[in-house]
Amino acid sequence: MTKPENKLPHWDVSAVYPGLESPEFEEGFQSVIKAIDQLVELFDEHGIGQREPAPLDEATVQSLETVLERYNDVLKRTRTLRAYIASFVTTDTRNELAQAKRSELQQHTVKLSLLDTRFTAWIGSLDVEGLIERSAAAREHAFFLRKAKELAAHLMSPAEEALAAELNLTGSTAWAKLHGDFTSQLMVTIELDGEVKELPMSAVRNLAHDPDREVRRRAYEAELATWRKAEVPLAAAINSIKGEVNTLARRRGWDSPLDASLFYNNIDRQTLDAMMEAAYESFPDFRRYLRAKARALGLPVLAWYDLFAPVGRDEKAWTFEETAQFIIEQFGTYSPKLRKLAERAFGERWIDAEPRPGKVDGAFCMWLKGDESRILSNYKPAFAGMSTLAHELGHAYHNLNLSSRTMLQRRTPMTLAETASIFCQTIVRQAALQEADVRGQITILEASLQSACQVVVDITSRFLFEQGVFEKRNQRELSPEELKGLMLDAQRQTYGEGLDSDTLHPYMWAVKPHYYSAERSFYNYPYMFGLLFGLGLYARYLDDPEGFKAGYDQLLSSTGMGDVAELAAQFGINIRSPDFWRSSLDVIREDIDRFESLIAQQTNTPPR
């Protein structure tokens, strides 16, 4: 029997400070602020930021090594402090002290943003290859320095970059904060079981997983009605953020925000085009899956609110305790190191699993300190809930392998950020499939295909939407109606006849926080990259388990230290060819075939 939600764990962050009101926290907070100010002084002392070509002499080498060491230290301390404060904000956005401390810290981390720009400009003036040859510290940071050299060509003047960094706090960062705080506190009026209730938006969105179609429909309609009331400020937010990104991209010499995104994700347009070509080819297969799901539910076609409807009846309840034990056991089949990571996460309360008012929706993993991470989820007692936890624990394993690297070495691009999470999720899924009966197999396959459909099909719709918004925002602001129109058009292009075109979701631009980050424009295609790259790596693992293990942890520890194409080549993968992406999608196609066959047996209807 499923235990009450209030038994689900809350995370413990006391390994950093006893609490937000503790003198230890205040001392640590002030210490980080002082360290940032001292770093500014160090930059000034060494002339970091000058654009005139600097001589490659001993003084320059010493300056680089001194600054690298101190810069890495301050970045590490700041990131831990930021994560600690975020652990309170994300679990209770009404926490005024946490919000105040986050805002206060942001005022000081603007200086770090300015220092990053100064450092990049300085590197652009240096003989980087000569530095790498002469300095061990430079060789350890070779990839970072070479990227900085390229990025320096896309900087505005120092005064303009300083102004942009300062205005960011009251510009895109403020709009992003509005979206996060506003949407997490939205209450939705909904009638359930004859009673009118006020529920948090996250709880209403979770009803999309309810087995009762009427409940799903009511939740969908109530959700859209609530977004409709909130559309004006959210449209203002997305317009402002996209306008800022367009302006800065243009002033920095990028052809488009997408080109800047590709640079920061360490891939090129050829790689993106190859992946998207393979994705478009797979849409008919995903529509086969959606039609099979409709037959399983006894429907002629799925509505949007049927996308997450449960199919099959898994015998397992997947309580949180069962999930923890299963994940630990299955991670152990890969390696003792992965098992120990899971044991620590569950045993040391790294996970905040309880859905509750004021807590942000969804799930994520954040590095906290050393080799420790913290995982936020809104746990549902189903296979999907377990799968999500396995995914986030994969991120924690990635962080574990990055723990020996400096902060500048571990700047992992979004394209590789999903590598370990997809791999771990696949381990758990394959194990669950082996143990399940026919009904359980249907449930597990459906959960997996549901996720894959989101990451390939829905992500493409989000990519198309964001492209459209950036293009139109170059001319003017977009109204809520125009934003809805762009979203619906993108959904029709991707889902096609797989969904009822009259019941799509015009407000996905309001739902997804990824649209509201100026630093993370096009926070969509990297998820598809991560899924397909992870599946490709899992296939390599099955072909040669011991050979794979010999290089996998090294790959994870190096994700911020090389172009993705170079790192992938270590496993014989050519990411610039559509063939690799097709082979990864073939894994999903096999699951669709299997799902169709099982549904045909259950419903006595042939695939179509």
Side-chain angles (χ1 to χ4, degrees):
M1 186 172 73
T2 303
K3 293 187 177 182
E5 279 192 351
N6 61 11
K7 297 295 184 182
L8 292 173
H10 294 193
W11 53 29
D12 177 10
V13 292
S14 61
V16 182
Y17 301 112
L20 277 177
E21 297 179 340
S22 69
E24 291 90 343
F25 168 74
E26 187 59 31
E27 181 182 350
F29 189 92
Q30 296 303 325
S31 175
V32 168
I33 292 172
K34 182 179 179 180
I36 293 172
D37 290 337
Q38 290 174 336
L39 186 63
V40 173
E41 294 173 2
L42 183 70
F43 270 52
D44 292 341
E45 177 186 339
H46 287 269
I48 307 301
Q50 296 175 354
R51 290 173 179 248
E52 297 78 15
L56 184 56
D57 55 19
E58 191 58 34
T60 299
V61 173
Q62 186 60 48
S63 290
L64 174 73
E65 294 179 345
T66 300
V67 169
L68 274 177
E69 181 179 5
R70 185 83 67 83
Y71 193 20
N72 276 312
D73 178 65
V74 173
L75 287 174
K76 180 171 67 175
R77 293 167 62 187
T78 303
R79 186 166 169 183
T80 290
L81 180 62
R82 183 187 291 122
Y84 181 77
I85 296 171
S87 72
F88 292 92
V89 173
T90 55
T91 51
D92 181 11
T93 58
R94 297 183 178 91
N95 187 322
E96 294 184 4
L97 176 59
Q99 291 281 19
K101 285 298 182 181
R102 180 174 72 167
S103 178
E104 185 179 350
L105 181 61
Q106 285 174 340
Q107 302 295 322
H108 294 279
T109 53
V110 167
K111 298 173 187 176
L112 285 177
S113 178
L114 292 171
L115 293 182
D116 189 68
T117 301
R118 287 175 59 180
F119 195 51
T120 300
W122 185 63
I123 295 302
S125 72
L126 302 179
D127 175 3
V128 166
E129 297 306 320
L131 273 175
I132 292 170
E133 184 177 338
R134 292 184 58 172
S135 166
R139 284 194 293 277
E140 292 170 357
H141 293 82
F143 180 72
F144 165 77
L145 294 174
R146 287 168 176 144
K147 289 286 285 189
K149 180 81 172 180
E150 290 183 64
L151 184 59
H154 290 281
L155 290 179
M156 299 182 291
S157 71
E160 288 173 315
E161 289 290 354
L163 180 61
E166 291 186 39
L167 288 178
N168 174 272
L169 276 184
T170 52
S172 58
T173 296
W175 286 112
K177 183 174 181 290
L178 168 72
H179 176 270
D181 294 348
F182 184 51
T183 57
S184 69
Q185 296 178 28
L186 279 177
M187 299 298 289
V188 181
T189 302
I190 182 171
E191 182 180 341
L192 295 173
D193 300 324
E195 180 183 354
V196 176
K197 300 180 179 181
E198 292 282 326
L199 298 177
M201 176 61 80
S202 59
V204 171
R205 283 185 52 76
N206 272 345
L207 292 175
H209 300 267
D210 197 278
D212 187 332
R213 194 175 196 229
E214 179 60 19
V215 170
R216 299 196 302 271
R217 183 188 65 79
R218 286 176 180 271
Y220 164 81
E221 292 176 351
E223 180 195 348
L224 294 192
T226 303
W227 289 125
R228 191 173 300 115
K229 295 176 183 177
E231 66 181 15
V232 172
L234 296 181
I238 199 170
N239 270 296
S240 298
I241 292 169
K242 298 310 181 191
E244 178 182 316
V245 172
N246 267 339
T247 299
L248 290 175
R250 185 167 58 251
R251 294 296 296 269
R252 287 171 174 151
W254 296 107
D255 290 337
S256 71
L258 178 58
D259 288 294
S261 170
L262 293 171
F263 175 83
Y264 288 116
N265 280 303
N266 296 348
I267 66 171
D268 53 26
R269 186 66 73 104
Q270 183 181 353
T271 298
L272 177 66
D273 289 346
M275 182 180 72
M276 296 304 292
E277 178 182 340
Y280 274 97
E281 292 172 359
S282 73
F283 288 173
D285 297 292
F286 280 104
R287 291 165 189 166
R288 282 196 294 123
Y289 150 68
L290 293 171
R291 290 194 293 271
K293 179 167 183 172
R295 292 195 300 277
L297 294 173
L299 302 171
V301 64
L302 295 181
W304 185 275
Y305 51 82
D306 298 317
L307 276 171
F308 305 111
V311 173
R313 295 191 304 277
D314 190 359
E315 296 299 326
K316 285 185 175 291
W318 296 114
T319 65
F320 190 83
E321 291 78 8
E322 290 171 332
T323 283
Q325 189 58 41
F326 190 79
I327 288 175
I328 289 170
E329 290 176 0
Q330 300 312 319
F331 279 14
T333 64
Y334 175 76
S335 73
K337 181 178 176 181
L338 184 56
R339 179 190 178 103
K340 184 178 179 181
L341 180 280
E343 289 174 336
R344 290 182 65 194
F346 288 109
E348 298 174 14
R349 291 175 54 198
W350 290 10
I351 302 168
D352 194 295
E354 182 196 19
R356 53 194 185 274
K359 181 178 177 180
V360 298
D361 198 7
F364 64 78
C365 174
M366 64 179 179
W367 176 78
L368 184 67
K369 72 180 190 71
D371 61 0
E372 295 185 30
S373 299
R374 292 298 182 269
I375 292 167
L376 180 142
S377 75
N378 287 272
Y379 186 76
K380 295 177 288 291
F383 174 78
M386 182 185 71
S387 181
T388 296
L389 273 183
H391 180 100
E392 300 305 334
L393 284 164
H395 286 299
Y397 187 69
H398 195 162
N399 288 337
L400 173 69
N401 282 283
L402 285 168
S403 61
S404 64
R405 302 296 189 183
T406 69
M407 299 305 292
L408 294 176
Q409 289 173 332
R410 62 188 293 170
R411 287 185 169 180
T412 294
M414 290 163 53
T415 39
L416 293 179
E418 299 298 315
T419 301
S421 57
I422 296 299
F423 187 83
C424 288
Q425 195 173 11
T426 305
I427 289 174
V428 167
R429 181 178 71 92
Q430 294 299 96
L433 274 173
Q434 289 179 5
E435 294 187 7
D437 59 14
V438 171
R439 291 181 298 180
Q441 289 178 47
I442 290 175
T443 300
I444 294 166
L445 282 170
E446 205 289 312
S448 176
L449 290 171
Q450 179 188 115
S451 175
C453 186
Q454 286 293 295
V455 173
V456 178
V457 180
D458 200 69
I459 283 293
T460 304
S461 75
R462 297 184 219 171
F463 176 78
L464 292 173
F465 168 81
E466 192 160 13
Q467 271 191 315
V469 172
F470 271 126
E471 290 171 4
K472 292 182 179 297
R473 187 62 185 85
N474 271 320
Q475 282 75 50
R476 58 175 176 79
E477 292 183 351
L478 286 80
S479 69
E481 288 301 314
E482 289 174 304
L483 292 168
K484 289 186 287 186
L486 282 174
M487 182 57 76
L488 290 173
D489 183 58
Q491 289 170 357
R492 292 187 184 105
Q493 288 185 57
T494 50
Y495 284 100
E497 72 278 7
L499 287 182
D500 180 353
S501 61
D502 293 329
T503 56
L504 299 176
H505 198 308
Y507 285 104
M508 287 307 292
W509 58 270
V511 175
K512 296 298 178 183
H514 301 153
Y515 292 129
Y516 297 83
S517 171
E519 292 76 22
R520 294 181 174 182
S521 297
F522 289 101
Y523 198 110
N524 36 55
Y525 70 82
Y527 279 104
M528 189 195 307
F529 188 107
L531 170 67
L532 300 182
F533 189 65
L535 289 176
L537 285 176
Y538 187 78
R540 298 298 195 276
Y541 163 59
L542 294 180
D543 288 342
D544 180 13
E546 295 309 313
F548 178 87
K549 291 177 185 179
Y552 183 57
D553 285 1
Q554 177 64 26
L555 171 68
L556 293 179
S557 75
S558 305
T559 49
M561 300 173 66
D563 280 321
V564 179
E566 296 171 1
L567 296 173
Q570 297 174 14
F571 287 87
I573 294 172
N574 178 9
I575 62 171
R576 295 190 176 99
S577 168
D579 289 340
F580 166 70
W581 305 106
R582 289 176 183 132
S583 67
S584 293
L585 284 159
D586 282 343
V587 176
I588 300 174
R589 288 186 180 95
E590 289 176 6
D591 283 347
I592 293 173
D593 293 342
R594 184 175 177 181
F595 182 72
E596 271 195 316
S597 176
L598 291 171
I599 293 301
Q601 294 175 35
Q602 290 282 303
T603 61
N604 202 26
T605 58
R608 65 175 187 271

